[in-house]
Amino acid sequence: MRMNNELQKLHQLELLLADELVRICKKYNLPIFMLAGTALGAIRHRGFIPWDDDMDFGMLRSDFEEFKNICNIELDKSRFFLQSDENDKFYPFNFIKIRLNGTSVLEEFSQKADVHTGIYIDIFPIDNVSLNPIKRFFQLKGFWFFRNLLWIKCGYGEDDRKQGVRYRVGRIFSSFFSIYFLKKAKNYFITLAKNEDADYVVVSDGSYGLTKETFPKKWLQESDVYMFEDRLFTSFQNIDIYLKHLYGDYMQLPPESSRNHHKRLNVNFGIYGENKNDV
């Protein structure tokens, strides 16, 4: 029961963060799309997947960069923190998080990293994939290589993986580079095609790998609104194609053993604790 109450409260606060995202995007006419489990939840559950514990949105790279700049003006910094690899030294990801100040969520993958740990939602850049096969190879493989070294350098990874040979080899390789260099390198490679008239795009730091997270750019040309809990959020107009691409038979519930979350170790709701109803 405690875990169910915890997840319910977590969902409430993530919706608070999503409301702030939507407010800013509407004000500045920036298109956003529900992605991955959030898109799946909207269609299959009309809201959160019951065991899911985060929200994922995406924006085309140009809109994503504009959104980051706008947040310097629009985001209430007393309540929220826009976390990126630019303003949090040991934060390694290509996407950004809107964090809720005065709260904390500790997850196994990031428990050893010295970063802001507030309750969050994720906003992913959606990048062009190069039409040139050689350039595309270097774009995706270069990003993958330097991103993984950066994760290791910043202390990310589950405890069992840290004992593996690949992680230990990665730690040796990462020792030759600074965090600053690794961030610049992974951002350089993933944006190699930013000025191309691309047919495909990629959510490079998505959970399902670069192949699954690559899809036709034309899917982003039309959007629609979908009910999510008691809100309306935008996503692909033909969301069925996207969800089949990512999950196959997405209406089929996975076995309980595969109902993933982010391996939460601890959640602190701070001023938004269980006795506080004002969220």
Side-chain angles (χ1 to χ4, degrees), residues 70-176:
I70 288 169
C71 281
N72 290 326
I73 303 167
E74 283 286 341
L75 204 63
D76 181 352
K77 296 176 180 61
S78 67
R79 300 181 70 197
F80 308 112
F81 175 66
L82 187 76
Q83 185 178 44
S84 74
D85 64 357
E86 297 168 351
N87 66 7
D88 204 338
K89 179 179 177 180
F90 296 102
Y91 180 79
F93 300 110
N94 202 31
F95 56 93
I96 58 177
K97 294 177 182 283
I98 301 179
R99 298 267 193 183
L100 191 59
N101 289 331
T103 67
S104 177
V105 55
L106 189 63
E107 298 168 344
E108 184 179 348
F109 184 71
S110 57
Q111 64 176 310
K112 301 293 175 60
D114 182 18
V115 293
H116 192 300
T117 59
I119 291 166
Y120 64 89
I121 61 172
D122 295 330
I123 304 104
F124 291 80
I126 304 175
D127 287 294
N128 287 343
V129 175
S130 180
L131 290 168
N132 183 297
I134 297 175
K135 187 176 179 181
R136 181 169 64 245
F137 174 85
F138 282 104
Q139 177 189 8
L140 298 180
K141 294 299 184 183
F143 168 78
W144 178 88
F145 177 74
F146 286 109
R147 187 274 311 272
N148 286 352
L149 289 185
L150 182 59
W151 281 1
I152 294 169
K153 184 84 172 180
C154 291
Y156 281 73
E158 288 90 354
D159 288 340
D160 57 344
R161 290 189 182 182
K162 288 181 177 180
Q163 306 308 314
V165 173
R166 292 176 65 182
Y167 193 96
R168 293 179 180 185
V169 171
R171 186 178 291 153
I172 293 170
F173 270 101
S174 69
S175 68
F176 293 105

Side-chain angles (χ1 to χ4, degrees), residues 1-13:
M1 182 63 70
R2 186 195 70 82
M3 184 60 72
N4 289 341
N5 290 340
E6 179 179 275
L7 195 53
Q8 229 175 20
K9 189 69 176 180
L10 192 59
H11 288 169
Q12 282 184 306
L13 295 178

Side-chain angles (χ1 to χ4, degrees), residues 124 136 151 157 182 191 228-229 256 264:
F124 291 80
R136 181 169 64 245
W151 281 1
L182 291 172
T191 58
F228 190 98
E229 302 296 337
E256 288 193 22
R264 297 187 312 281

